[in-house]
Amino acid sequence: MMPPLINTLANNALETKLRAIVRLDPFWREQLAQLNGLHLYIELIDLGFKRVIQFGPTDVHCLAPYTQADVRLITRCRYLSSLTDANQTQLAIEEGHMQLMGYEQAVKALLQFLRCHHADWESQLAQIMPDALAYQLTAVGQLAIEQLQQAKQSLSQSYDFWRRNESTSP
């Protein structure tokens, strides 16, 4: 567990980044109207981040974690990307890596919103650094994600093989 001051600084940094993404990306600004008034409780277990995010017509507001929420999302950072794919979301929930609950229509609206948008990280990075560097960082990031997914799949298959063979041993 992080000390309170570091936890507060980390929470503030995450809030700042979230608001910056919404402000920089025209898609997010245009689409916020469909989530206007929705309150999302998000808890990132690995970071100790707990906040309620209120979606407004043109911006998001981060509120105290004890505020009433329409949707509750509890997970770790590495599983956030699974929200963009229905099958990955279901798998993360079934495996106990994610809790997603709340009013059915609110959950559907949030997931639909997240699934129709794929952030163009290269263009976001190009606003703060040279284009070539933004391209390289994006390419390296994508390669790292693919390699980690392959390693996870390989480890999972090895573990399943070991469990099958271990359970059949005398």
Side-chain angles (χ1 to χ4, degrees):
M1 179 168 222
M2 286 191 276
L5 180 59
I6 294 175
N7 191 11
T8 300
L9 292 173
N11 284 345
N12 289 340
L14 285 169
E15 289 175 23
T16 302
K17 293 296 181 192
L18 176 64
R19 294 186 89 181
I21 288 170
V22 169
R23 287 188 187 117
L24 287 174
D25 192 331
F27 175 87
W28 284 93
R29 286 193 312 267
E30 293 170 9
Q31 300 301 318
L32 277 176
Q34 65 182 303
L35 296 178
N36 188 21
L38 181 90
H39 288 76
L40 166 67
Y41 171 85
I42 183 167
E43 181 176 342
L44 300 176
I45 299 165
D46 43 354
L47 297 181
F49 180 81
K50 298 177 185 178
R51 284 290 183 271
V52 171
I53 299 171
Q54 176 186 353
F55 294 89
T58 59
D59 203 356
V60 294
H61 305 281
C62 296
L63 310 172
Y66 51 81
T67 306
Q68 185 68 27
D70 304 306
V71 179
R72 292 179 58 86
L73 170 64
I74 302 170
T75 189
R76 296 185 183 279
C77 287
R78 67 177 154 224
Y79 298 106
L80 285 174
S81 64
S82 68
L83 290 168
T84 60
D85 180 83
N87 293 329
Q88 288 182 358
T89 302
Q90 188 62 36
L91 183 62
I93 291 170
E94 288 172 0
E95 291 179 348
H97 301 300
M98 178 183 296
Q99 295 177 27
L100 182 61
M101 56 204 125
Y103 301 114
E104 186 176 351
Q105 283 189 300
V107 172
K108 284 182 181 179
L110 179 66
L111 290 175
Q112 180 181 2
F113 176 71
L114 293 172
R115 290 177 182 152
C116 72
H117 181 261
H118 297 287
D120 182 0
W121 294 109
E122 185 177 339
S123 68
Q124 297 291 329
L125 290 171
Q127 294 179 16
I128 58 173
M129 63 181 60
D131 290 349
L133 183 57
Y135 169 77
Q136 290 174 348
L137 284 173
T138 305
V140 167
Q142 187 60 38
L143 181 62
I145 289 169
E146 290 170 7
Q147 292 296 318
L148 287 171
Q149 288 173 340
Q150 288 176 357
K152 177 186 171 191
Q153 184 178 12
S154 176
L155 283 170
S156 178
Q157 289 172 348
S158 296
Y159 176 73
D160 289 342
F161 177 79
W162 175 80
R163 281 186 60 194
R164 280 192 307 272
N165 289 331
E166 194 66 26
S167 63
T168 58
S169 297

